[in-house]
PDB file of all heavy atoms in Angstrom:
ATOM      1  N   GLY A  33      50.198 -36.226 143.002  1.00  0.00           N
ATOM      2  CA  GLY A  33      49.827 -34.828 143.198  1.00  0.00           C
ATOM      3  C   GLY A  33      49.100 -34.257 142.001  1.00  0.00           C
ATOM      4  O   GLY A  33      48.175 -33.451 142.147  1.00  0.00           O
ATOM      5  N   THR A  34      49.498 -34.693 140.813  1.00  0.00           N
ATOM      6  CA  THR A  34      48.836 -34.243 139.588  1.00  0.00           C
ATOM      7  C   THR A  34      47.378 -34.681 139.568  1.00  0.00           C
ATOM      8  O   THR A  34      46.467 -33.888 139.285  1.00  0.00           O
ATOM      9  CB  THR A  34      49.567 -34.804 138.353  1.00  0.00           C
ATOM     10  OG1 THR A  34      50.902 -34.300 138.325  1.00  0.00           O
ATOM     11  CG2 THR A  34      48.849 -34.426 137.070  1.00  0.00           C
ATOM     12  N   LEU A  35      47.150 -35.955 139.868  1.00  0.00           N
ATOM     13  CA  LEU A  35      45.784 -36.478 139.839  1.00  0.00           C
ATOM     14  C   LEU A  35      44.928 -35.853 140.933  1.00  0.00           C
ATOM     15  O   LEU A  35      43.727 -35.627 140.740  1.00  0.00           O
ATOM     16  CB  LEU A  35      45.814 -37.993 139.986  1.00  0.00           C
ATOM     17  CG  LEU A  35      46.489 -38.745 138.826  1.00  0.00           C
ATOM     18  CD1 LEU A  35      46.591 -40.230 139.130  1.00  0.00           C
ATOM     19  CD2 LEU A  35      45.722 -38.524 137.528  1.00  0.00           C
ATOM     20  N   ARG A  36      45.552 -35.570 142.079  1.00  0.00           N
ATOM     21  CA  ARG A  36      44.798 -34.921 143.157  1.00  0.00           C
ATOM     22  C   ARG A  36      44.292 -33.553 142.695  1.00  0.00           C
ATOM     23  O   ARG A  36      43.110 -33.236 142.834  1.00  0.00           O
ATOM     24  CB  ARG A  36      45.686 -34.764 144.397  1.00  0.00           C
ATOM     25  CG  ARG A  36      45.031 -33.942 145.500  1.00  0.00           C
ATOM     26  CD  ARG A  36      45.907 -33.803 146.736  1.00  0.00           C
ATOM     27  NE  ARG A  36      45.294 -32.859 147.660  1.00  0.00           N
ATOM     28  CZ  ARG A  36      44.321 -33.150 148.500  1.00  0.00           C
ATOM     29  NH1 ARG A  36      43.825 -34.380 148.534  1.00  0.00           N
ATOM     30  NH2 ARG A  36      43.822 -32.228 149.302  1.00  0.00           N
ATOM     31  N   ARG A  37      45.200 -32.742 142.147  1.00  0.00           N
ATOM     32  CA  ARG A  37      44.814 -31.402 141.714  1.00  0.00           C
ATOM     33  C   ARG A  37      43.824 -31.475 140.554  1.00  0.00           C
ATOM     34  O   ARG A  37      42.859 -30.696 140.487  1.00  0.00           O
ATOM     35  CB  ARG A  37      46.067 -30.617 141.305  1.00  0.00           C
ATOM     36  CG  ARG A  37      45.787 -29.206 140.805  1.00  0.00           C
ATOM     37  CD  ARG A  37      45.054 -28.384 141.840  1.00  0.00           C
ATOM     38  NE  ARG A  37      44.757 -27.043 141.366  1.00  0.00           N
ATOM     39  CZ  ARG A  37      43.760 -26.302 141.837  1.00  0.00           C
ATOM     40  NH1 ARG A  37      42.966 -26.776 142.794  1.00  0.00           N
ATOM     41  NH2 ARG A  37      43.558 -25.091 141.356  1.00  0.00           N
ATOM     42  N   PHE A  38      44.053 -32.400 139.640  1.00  0.00           N
ATOM     43  CA  PHE A  38      43.183 -32.560 138.478  1.00  0.00           C
ATOM     44  C   PHE A  38      41.758 -32.898 138.911  1.00  0.00           C
ATOM     45  O   PHE A  38      40.779 -32.342 138.396  1.00  0.00           O
ATOM     46  CB  PHE A  38      43.747 -33.664 137.591  1.00  0.00           C
ATOM     47  CG  PHE A  38      43.015 -33.859 136.287  1.00  0.00           C
ATOM     48  CD1 PHE A  38      43.006 -32.871 135.318  1.00  0.00           C
ATOM     49  CD2 PHE A  38      42.352 -35.048 136.031  1.00  0.00           C
ATOM     50  CE1 PHE A  38      42.342 -33.061 134.112  1.00  0.00           C
ATOM     51  CE2 PHE A  38      41.687 -35.246 134.834  1.00  0.00           C
ATOM     52  CZ  PHE A  38      41.681 -34.249 133.877  1.00  0.00           C
ATOM     53  N   LEU A  39      41.618 -33.809 139.885  1.00  0.00           N
ATOM     54  CA  LEU A  39      40.293 -34.187 140.369  1.00  0.00           C
ATOM     55  C   LEU A  39      39.664 -33.065 141.185  1.00  0.00           C
ATOM     56  O   LEU A  39      38.435 -32.911 141.201  1.00  0.00           O
ATOM     57  CB  LEU A  39      40.381 -35.467 141.203  1.00  0.00           C
ATOM     58  CG  LEU A  39      40.754 -36.725 140.409  1.00  0.00           C
ATOM     59  CD1 LEU A  39      40.970 -37.910 141.340  1.00  0.00           C
ATOM     60  CD2 LEU A  39      39.659 -37.062 139.389  1.00  0.00           C
ATOM     61  N   GLN A  40      40.488 -32.286 141.878  1.00  0.00           N
ATOM     62  CA  GLN A  40      39.957 -31.117 142.584  1.00  0.00           C
ATOM     63  C   GLN A  40      39.320 -30.140 141.614  1.00  0.00           C
ATOM     64  O   GLN A  40      38.254 -29.573 141.894  1.00  0.00           O
ATOM     65  CB  GLN A  40      41.079 -30.425 143.363  1.00  0.00           C
ATOM     66  CG  GLN A  40      41.448 -31.082 144.675  1.00  0.00           C
ATOM     67  CD  GLN A  40      42.559 -30.338 145.389  1.00  0.00           C
ATOM     68  OE1 GLN A  40      43.452 -29.764 144.753  1.00  0.00           O
ATOM     69  NE2 GLN A  40      42.538 -30.348 146.719  1.00  0.00           N
ATOM     70  N   LEU A  41      39.977 -29.933 140.473  1.00  0.00           N
ATOM     71  CA  LEU A  41      39.426 -29.022 139.466  1.00  0.00           C
ATOM     72  C   LEU A  41      38.100 -29.531 138.935  1.00  0.00           C
ATOM     73  O   LEU A  41      37.266 -28.735 138.476  1.00  0.00           O
ATOM     74  CB  LEU A  41      40.427 -28.857 138.315  1.00  0.00           C
ATOM     75  CG  LEU A  41      41.742 -28.154 138.660  1.00  0.00           C
ATOM     76  CD1 LEU A  41      42.712 -28.212 137.483  1.00  0.00           C
ATOM     77  CD2 LEU A  41      41.475 -26.703 139.059  1.00  0.00           C
ATOM     78  N   ARG A  42      37.891 -30.846 138.993  1.00  0.00           N
ATOM     79  CA  ARG A  42      36.622 -31.436 138.562  1.00  0.00           C
ATOM     80  C   ARG A  42      35.569 -31.459 139.663  1.00  0.00           C
ATOM     81  O   ARG A  42      34.443 -31.880 139.437  1.00  0.00           O
ATOM     82  CB  ARG A  42      36.854 -32.886 138.093  1.00  0.00           C
ATOM     83  CG  ARG A  42      37.559 -33.006 136.745  1.00  0.00           C
ATOM     84  CD  ARG A  42      37.701 -34.454 136.372  1.00  0.00           C
ATOM     85  NE  ARG A  42      37.891 -34.632 134.926  1.00  0.00           N
ATOM     86  CZ  ARG A  42      37.585 -35.744 134.285  1.00  0.00           C
ATOM     87  NH1 ARG A  42      37.040 -36.759 134.938  1.00  0.00           N
ATOM     88  NH2 ARG A  42      37.791 -35.835 132.993  1.00  0.00           N
ATOM     89  N   GLY A  43      35.966 -31.035 140.865  1.00  0.00           N
ATOM     90  CA  GLY A  43      35.023 -31.013 141.985  1.00  0.00           C
ATOM     91  C   GLY A  43      34.799 -32.365 142.627  1.00  0.00           C
ATOM     92  O   GLY A  43      33.788 -32.580 143.311  1.00  0.00           O
ATOM     93  N   ALA A  44      35.762 -33.291 142.449  1.00  0.00           N
ATOM     94  CA  ALA A  44      35.604 -34.639 143.005  1.00  0.00           C
ATOM     95  C   ALA A  44      35.865 -34.633 144.513  1.00  0.00           C
ATOM     96  O   ALA A  44      36.626 -33.816 145.028  1.00  0.00           O
ATOM     97  CB  ALA A  44      36.558 -35.601 142.307  1.00  0.00           C
ATOM     98  N   LYS A  45      35.248 -35.579 145.224  1.00  0.00           N
ATOM     99  CA  LYS A  45      35.493 -35.762 146.651  1.00  0.00           C
ATOM    100  C   LYS A  45      36.729 -36.645 146.810  1.00  0.00           C
ATOM    101  O   LYS A  45      36.753 -37.776 146.334  1.00  0.00           O
ATOM    102  CB  LYS A  45      34.282 -36.400 147.321  1.00  0.00           C
ATOM    103  CG  LYS A  45      33.027 -35.526 147.287  1.00  0.00           C
ATOM    104  CD  LYS A  45      31.860 -36.209 147.980  1.00  0.00           C
ATOM    105  CE  LYS A  45      30.612 -35.319 147.949  1.00  0.00           C
ATOM    106  NZ  LYS A  45      29.440 -35.988 148.608  1.00  0.00           N
ATOM    107  N   LEU A  46      37.737 -36.134 147.505  1.00  0.00           N
ATOM    108  CA  LEU A  46      39.026 -36.815 147.561  1.00  0.00           C
ATOM    109  C   LEU A  46      39.345 -37.443 148.909  1.00  0.00           C
ATOM    110  O   LEU A  46      40.317 -38.185 149.018  1.00  0.00           O
ATOM    111  CB  LEU A  46      40.140 -35.816 147.216  1.00  0.00           C
ATOM    112  CG  LEU A  46      40.050 -35.158 145.841  1.00  0.00           C
ATOM    113  CD1 LEU A  46      41.207 -34.197 145.655  1.00  0.00           C
ATOM    114  CD2 LEU A  46      40.044 -36.197 144.741  1.00  0.00           C
ATOM    115  N   VAL A  81      45.863 -40.038 146.442  1.00  0.00           N
ATOM    116  CA  VAL A  81      45.428 -38.716 145.985  1.00  0.00           C
ATOM    117  C   VAL A  81      44.561 -38.021 147.030  1.00  0.00           C
ATOM    118  O   VAL A  81      44.360 -36.795 146.953  1.00  0.00           O
ATOM    119  CB  VAL A  81      44.677 -38.818 144.631  1.00  0.00           C
ATOM    120  CG1 VAL A  81      45.576 -39.377 143.551  1.00  0.00           C
ATOM    121  CG2 VAL A  81      43.435 -39.670 144.771  1.00  0.00           C
ATOM    122  N   SER A  84      46.577 -34.714 151.432  1.00  0.00           N
ATOM    123  CA  SER A  84      46.848 -33.329 151.034  1.00  0.00           C
ATOM    124  C   SER A  84      48.315 -32.944 151.164  1.00  0.00           C
ATOM    125  O   SER A  84      48.760 -31.992 150.522  1.00  0.00           O
ATOM    126  CB  SER A  84      46.007 -32.372 151.889  1.00  0.00           C
ATOM    127  OG  SER A  84      46.341 -32.505 153.270  1.00  0.00           O
TER     128      SER A  84
END
Side-chain angles (χ1 to χ4, degrees):
T34 298
L35 295 174
R36 173 179 172 81
R37 179 58 181 155
F38 185 65
L39 292 174
Q40 281 180 327
L41 294 173
R42 287 181 159 204
K45 296 181 180 179
L46 301 180
V81 298
S84 61

